[in-house]
Amino acid sequence: SLCVTQTAARVDILVRCLAAHGNAGPKADACILGLLGAVAPEPRQALLRKLTEGLDTDQKVRLFKSSPFEKETWLIVDEQGDEFSNRYWKVVRPLLNRGHSDTDLNELVCRLLKVERPRAAFHAAHLDWPRLETTQLRRLLTDVSSVNEEAQGTYQLSAYHIAQALKAFDGRAGVTVSEMAQMEFRFVSALSHSEHGIPNLERQIAESPLLYMQVMALLWKRTDDGHDPPQWQILDPERSRDIAFAMHQVLEQMSRIPGTNANGEIVTGSLTAWLEEVRKLAAQYGRSEITDQCLGQLLAKAPHENAQSWPCT
């Protein structure tokens, strides 16, 4: 493409590429990307402006979709109007580009989230979590766990990159332990074999007997004729199954022993008080037997006293 220096000749090549369809279409689109990528940003913008004058909407979408995924392209897209811009962001493939500035990286994530494409945004940013602003990373993590508008099978999320995103989010100014616990719960299945785990979530449960009892209530049915609080009741069967599966994952992953202090030592009085309150609540809410079994499984994860002694005193 460097041999083609005249604007008219470049326009002619691009128009011919846009006329290709069927099996030749993907190759033509790659040719468009190659030609435009070899042109410097300013002349490329002039070329795109010149070319769009004679194209219909579908052709323009294809042209910009096949153009370099960077700020210079987005500016020309915006010149086509809000409706066209939304259509572009709904279909563009956000290719990985470590050359984006911090501002541009945050902008592309914001634009993809706006058109309900959180998995595409996650893919575009997954190598650069520290560069995302806290508000953008918070929204991305929230939307990627709750918005399901993208086609099945596109931009699959790996457990490793989810764990890395949470690691980058944890400890930032304005991010609370409670918020991190909620994020860990959203991704509890993906974190089951990760280095990150669920430290904030299990810390909250280990400090709250009532929260542990709520886990029990969402996972197991009562053995008496009593009634649970309304907020523990999930009427939709499908959602109830999903929640129960998540709660099972929480119990499987929880290894922090209640009563553990900041130095990692188990304080006997604190542990005893927590256990007594949980067992009291279990009796109140008709789940004594299953709760005792789950408490036994948790206590079995207690640390060794030394190389020869387990569990710790």
Side-chain angles (χ1 to χ4, degrees):
S1 61
L2 294 177
C3 298
V4 184
T5 58
Q6 299 299 316
T7 299
R10 289 173 172 172
V11 168
D12 182 63
I13 292 174
L14 292 170
V15 168
R16 289 173 181 272
C17 288
L18 291 171
H21 297 283
N23 293 333
K27 295 180 181 179
D29 292 343
C31 182
I32 293 173
L33 177 61
L35 190 154
L36 292 175
V39 179
E42 287 191 17
R44 185 198 312 146
Q45 287 184 310
L47 179 59
L48 287 172
R49 289 191 178 97
K50 177 69 176 177
L51 188 60
T52 55
E53 294 174 359
L55 300 179
D56 61 33
T57 300
D58 289 341
Q59 289 175 317
K60 285 195 288 186
V61 169
R62 183 180 173 188
L63 171 65
F64 287 113
K65 184 181 176 182
S66 302
S67 300
F69 184 65
E70 55 191 46
K71 181 70 172 183
E72 287 74 20
T73 299
W74 310 338
L75 290 172
I76 309 301
V77 167
D78 288 342
E79 293 175 5
Q80 313 305 309
D82 291 342
E83 184 176 347
F84 182 87
S85 178
N86 284 339
R87 183 172 172 183
Y88 164 81
W89 285 100
K90 279 183 175 291
V91 299
V92 68
R93 184 181 180 186
L95 300 175
L96 290 175
N97 183 350
R98 302 303 297 276
H100 289 307
S101 69
D102 290 359
T103 300
D104 291 351
L105 179 66
N106 281 274
E107 179 181 351
L108 75 87
V109 167
C110 180
R111 286 176 177 256
L112 289 168
L113 292 179
K114 183 179 179 181
V115 295
E116 299 184 316
R117 297 185 67 197
R119 292 206 303 268
F122 190 98
H123 169 76
H126 77 270
L127 299 179
D128 295 297
W129 298 129
R131 297 172 59 200
L132 278 188
E133 297 171 357
T134 300
T135 53
Q136 291 294 359
L137 184 51
R138 176 187 285 111
R139 185 184 172 195
L140 175 57
L141 289 170
T142 300
D143 286 7
V144 85
S145 66
S146 59
V147 177
N148 298 304
E149 296 299 318
E150 293 164 283
Q152 289 289 87
T154 58
Y155 302 110
Q156 293 297 300
L157 309 179
S158 76
Y160 172 78
H161 289 124
I162 289 173
Q164 291 300 108
L166 288 174
K167 181 179 178 181
F169 190 55
D170 199 0
R172 292 193 181 195
V175 178
T176 65
V177 171
S178 178
E179 185 175 12
M180 278 305 304
Q182 292 176 8
M183 288 294 183
E184 289 166 3
F185 179 72
R186 288 176 182 272
F187 298 103
V188 63
S189 295
L191 295 172
S192 60
H193 299 293
S194 73
E195 181 181 342
H196 186 278
I198 55 170
N200 296 282
L201 178 56
E202 65 178 354
R203 183 180 298 115
Q204 280 204 325
I205 294 174
E207 293 173 355
S208 172
L210 184 61
L211 186 56
Y212 186 86
M213 195 62 241
Q214 186 174 0
V215 172
M216 294 290 103
L218 292 171
L219 190 53
W220 311 106
K221 294 182 179 180
R222 296 182 70 123
T223 58
D224 60 15
D225 296 327
H227 298 282
D228 290 333
Q231 63 269 27
W232 293 6
Q233 300 176 25
I234 302 175
L235 301 179
D236 178 26
E238 184 176 353
R239 184 164 179 263
S240 179
R241 286 193 297 270
D242 291 342
I243 292 292
F245 178 78
M247 293 302 171
H248 177 73
Q249 292 288 313
V250 170
L251 291 184
E252 284 285 308
Q253 294 185 52
M254 185 176 175
S255 60
R256 183 185 180 89
I257 303 301
T260 301
N261 62 22
N263 297 322
E265 302 167 339
I266 299 174
V267 180
T268 305
S270 299
L271 171 58
T272 301
W274 187 90
L275 288 169
E276 289 177 346
E277 182 62 19
V278 167
R279 300 189 76 226
K280 176 183 175 182
L281 291 169
Q284 178 182 342
Y285 293 112
R287 294 177 178 85
S288 291
E289 184 175 349
I290 190 61
T291 298
D292 278 350
Q293 291 182 28
C294 291
L295 289 175
Q297 293 171 10
L298 174 60
L299 295 176
K301 299 175 183 178
H304 288 74
E305 187 80 20
N306 50 54
Q308 289 78 35
S309 177
W310 176 89
C312 58
T313 303

